[in-house]
Amino acid sequence: MQQAIKKRIKDSLHNRISYSEYMNIALYDDEHGYYMKHAQKVGKHGDFLTTSELSSAFGRAMAHLFVKVVEHHLLPPIICEIGGGNGKFAEVVIDEWKKISPNTVDQLTYYMIEKSSYHQQLQRNELFSNQLIYFKTVEEFLSQVGEFNGIVFSNEWFDALPVEVIEKKDGLLYEVWITLEGNRLVETYIPVTNQHILNYLSTYNLSIAEGQRFEIPLDMIKAIERLGVMVKSGIVVTVDYGYTFQEWEHPARRRGSLRGYMQHQLVEDPLQNIGEMDLTTHIHFDSLIEKGKQCGLQLTTFKRQREFLLMIGLLQLLEEHTSTDPFSNRAKANRSIRSLLMEGSISDYFHVIIQHKNLELEESFLIDLIKHK
């Protein structure tokens, strides 16, 4: 992977590549990219955990929400998950759907957009479901399926998309690029010339402080535009970590959020362990929501994950039992639910955004729908 990056730099016009190009190679190169390689990435023996991996209660609660939407004839039973990883979320949702809505499960279609052939194979080996239809990219989905009516779900997809990096030095804005110093990868600074970066700053009225580093999520903006094309009528559920623009102004975030994760340890230098670690950034919630509106995706709700799970009735999944065995199935299921609601749990770090298109689905209506028996 290092050789591939260095070759790309040497072959470039000015012997440098942008951070977005660097991330795209490091994460998605067909042969050596982190997400593409045949190795475990999610879970105890991987590099990071997702909510779905930590607790099956998350997928169960989402399945109940999806079923409510379908049984009240808002949408057909069609789900499109983007970046499904090891398939744990899809497995739980389909299993729970079978239990709570046997009358609709036969009509359930589950599209999976997963770029990694390794993860696709994991899913095929584990899920054993003829309801899953696979695609490698959103573009492939659009070419074969086109716009559809249904539910789009993603968990930590946006945070893994490449970003541009800028920094303000001596009153001027610079793009941070990657070049070679001898045989070593280093950062270099050039004045901002990318008009898309300037448009992003102007559109959202962003002012970068002296010494501040900031990621510009141009790929996220493109992804939202594609979601707007994909969804004819439906809801888009996004689970991810990030900040509002106001939160980005906090001094603690002056150096941006681009980091690596390897064996569950944070690696501050994104130029280390190339192809061997995850690269991630905190997403911009405000531009995700505002760009969504421009693409017809109206905001339904935006909540911290704990609040959202309480809103959709996670506690209703708790089961009464008299067993004193802490390892009984019911005891373990109840602990799984509580683990998502505890202070200091993974739910402190994630938010859930639901957007809707061509539906009457304000948050108050969503709450009434969930409460309806």
Side-chain angles (χ1 to χ4, degrees):
M1 172 56 72
Q2 286 204 34
Q3 295 308 311
I5 296 279
K6 291 174 181 178
K7 184 177 187 304
R8 184 69 65 89
I9 292 172
K10 291 175 181 177
D11 290 345
S12 65
L13 181 61
H14 299 291
N15 294 317
R16 61 177 182 247
I17 59 174
S18 66
Y19 249 113
S20 62
E21 186 173 2
Y22 168 77
M23 290 177 68
N24 194 53
I25 300 169
L27 295 177
Y28 300 106
D29 178 79
D30 287 338
E31 188 174 357
H32 302 294
Y34 173 78
Y35 288 125
M36 313 302 278
K37 67 179 183 178
H38 287 236
Q40 186 172 347
K41 305 162 195 69
V42 186
K44 180 179 178 182
H45 301 292
D47 297 304
F48 58 91
L49 284 171
T50 66
T51 305
S52 299
E53 183 72 23
L54 186 65
S55 173
S56 63
F58 178 75
R60 292 178 62 207
M62 296 304 297
H64 282 254
L65 172 62
F66 297 163
V67 165
K68 288 279 189 180
V69 169
V70 169
E71 289 187 338
H72 284 78
H73 308 292
L74 292 178
L75 292 170
I78 302 174
I79 299 172
C80 177
E81 183 177 357
I82 306 177
N86 60 14
K88 184 68 69 175
F89 179 82
E91 178 184 24
V92 172
V93 166
I94 293 171
D95 286 348
E96 190 73 7
W97 198 304
K98 291 175 182 176
K99 297 173 186 175
I100 63 177
S101 187
N103 294 330
T104 63
V105 73
D106 287 341
Q107 290 83 50
L108 175 62
T109 297
Y110 203 113
Y111 297 118
M112 182 69 79
I113 299 177
E114 177 55 65
K115 195 169 186 178
S116 168
S117 58
Y118 170 73
H119 284 148
Q120 270 203 23
Q121 193 56 52
L122 274 183
Q123 294 165 14
R124 293 177 191 273
N125 292 343
E126 297 294 329
L127 294 178
F128 304 110
S129 174
N130 57 11
Q131 291 158 310
L132 271 91
I133 303 171
Y134 288 92
F135 301 92
K136 289 189 74 69
T137 64
V138 172
E139 289 75 15
E140 183 182 356
F141 178 92
L142 284 170
S143 68
Q144 296 188 31
V145 177
E147 62 178 5
F148 78 110
N149 301 319
I151 298 162
V152 176
F153 175 83
S154 70
N155 187 359
E156 296 190 64
W157 174 48
F158 285 119
D159 68 65
L161 295 178
V163 294
E164 312 298 336
V165 179
I166 64 172
E167 186 170 333
K168 194 168 190 179
K169 296 164 64 74
D170 301 322
L172 297 176
L173 275 179
Y174 292 90
E175 293 180 60
V176 186
W177 285 48
I178 313 300
T179 189
L180 285 170
E181 190 175 84
N183 199 39
R184 186 168 63 95
L185 293 176
V186 296
E187 295 180 345
T188 187
Y189 297 82
I190 64 169
V192 174
T193 57
N194 187 332
Q195 190 60 46
H196 296 294
I197 292 177
L198 296 173
N199 290 343
Y200 185 89
L201 296 172
S202 174
T203 297
Y204 300 107
N205 196 28
L206 297 175
S207 178
I208 308 302
E210 180 66 29
Q212 182 178 3
R213 180 170 286 210
F214 195 61
E215 294 92 29
I216 306 294
L218 298 182
D219 279 34
M220 183 188 79
I221 296 299
K222 294 175 185 175
I224 296 167
E225 291 173 346
R226 290 193 291 269
L227 290 180
V229 175
M230 279 177 63
V231 179
K232 181 178 182 181
S233 174
I235 63 174
V236 177
V237 182
T238 299
V239 182
D240 224 320
Y241 45 82
Y243 299 120
T244 64
F245 288 141
Q246 183 176 7
E247 290 170 328
W248 277 111
E249 295 175 359
H250 194 281
R253 303 183 182 103
R254 284 175 62 85
R255 299 308 296 166
S257 66
L258 177 55
R259 302 288 189 273
Y261 279 91
M262 187 173 184
Q263 298 175 6
H264 302 280
Q265 299 297 312
L266 184 148
V267 180
E268 292 195 358
D269 184 357
L271 301 184
Q272 298 297 312
N273 310 309
I274 306 171
E276 299 298 321
M277 69 178 183
D278 186 24
L279 290 173
T280 179
T281 62
H282 281 60
I283 69 173
H284 296 184
F285 287 133
D286 290 319
S287 58
L288 187 154
I289 291 168
E290 290 305 312
K291 186 63 181 179
K293 290 178 182 178
Q294 294 175 22
C295 298
L297 302 171
Q298 304 304 314
L299 181 64
T300 310
T301 189
F302 169 38
K303 293 187 180 299
R304 195 169 293 278
Q305 184 171 281
R306 179 186 295 104
E307 298 173 66
F308 176 80
L309 291 173
L310 287 170
M311 183 184 80
I312 65 172
L314 179 66
L315 290 177
Q316 296 174 21
L317 299 183
L318 287 170
E319 298 183 59
E320 292 186 10
H321 66 96
T322 57
S323 172
T324 59
D325 179 8
F327 301 106
S328 69
N329 289 336
R330 286 187 175 181
K332 288 192 290 186
N334 285 348
R335 279 200 303 277
S336 174
I337 292 168
R338 294 189 182 100
S339 72
L340 293 177
L341 301 177
M342 294 169 55
E343 293 292 332
S345 73
I346 196 170
S347 291
D348 281 342
Y349 303 98
F350 286 85
H351 283 75
V352 180
I353 299 171
I354 294 185
Q355 297 158 292
H356 62 273
K357 183 176 180 182
N358 293 329
L359 291 176
E360 293 296 329
L361 196 64
E362 301 303 318
E363 184 179 278
S364 58
F365 181 81
L366 181 67
I367 293 172
D368 290 341
L369 179 70
I370 293 163
K371 290 179 178 178
H372 188 83
K373 299 296 184 182

